[in-house]
Amino acid sequence: PPPTHRESRDSAVDNILVTVDKLVFNGNELSQSRMARAVLCLKATETIQWKLADNSVAKVTQKQLKKALLLANKAQSDLWVI
């Protein structure tokens, strides 16, 4: 049988990608949770090594993670109201 609406939505959420400063981040729910924790713990001037969607590692700022989190959250919200 074809996937249900919920299965299709869950798959779309699992595959959210967002781009900030040419860096592509995974935006699924687990990634959003990790981003939120990092944003809360990092000082504005600190950086952290982050594994990007292509499995490369980049040094990112709190500001970049916060923007990625905002974009991923918006993308997920948009999928939930369809």
Side-chain angles (χ1 to χ4, degrees), residues 1-12:
T4 66
H5 174 71
R6 181 179 180 162
E7 290 168 337
S8 295
R9 182 190 64 210
D10 289 349
S11 177

Side-chain angles (χ1 to χ4, degrees), residues 13-64:
V13 169
D14 287 343
N15 290 292
I16 292 171
L17 298 174
V18 296
T19 303
V20 175
D21 298 335
K22 299 182 182 177
L23 302 171
V24 181
F25 294 82
N26 289 309
N28 58 53
E29 288 182 297
L30 179 59
S31 295
Q32 288 181 52
S33 177
R34 290 183 59 236
M35 286 181 211
R37 289 192 309 271
V39 166
L40 285 172
C41 294
L42 285 174
K43 294 178 183 170
T45 57
E46 289 182 312
T47 61
I48 190 171
Q49 291 202 31
W50 200 265
K51 188 176 277 191
L52 300 172
D54 67 358
N55 288 322
S56 66
V57 176
K59 193 179 280 192
V60 299
T61 64
Q62 183 208 43
K63 184 177 178 180
Q64 288 170 315

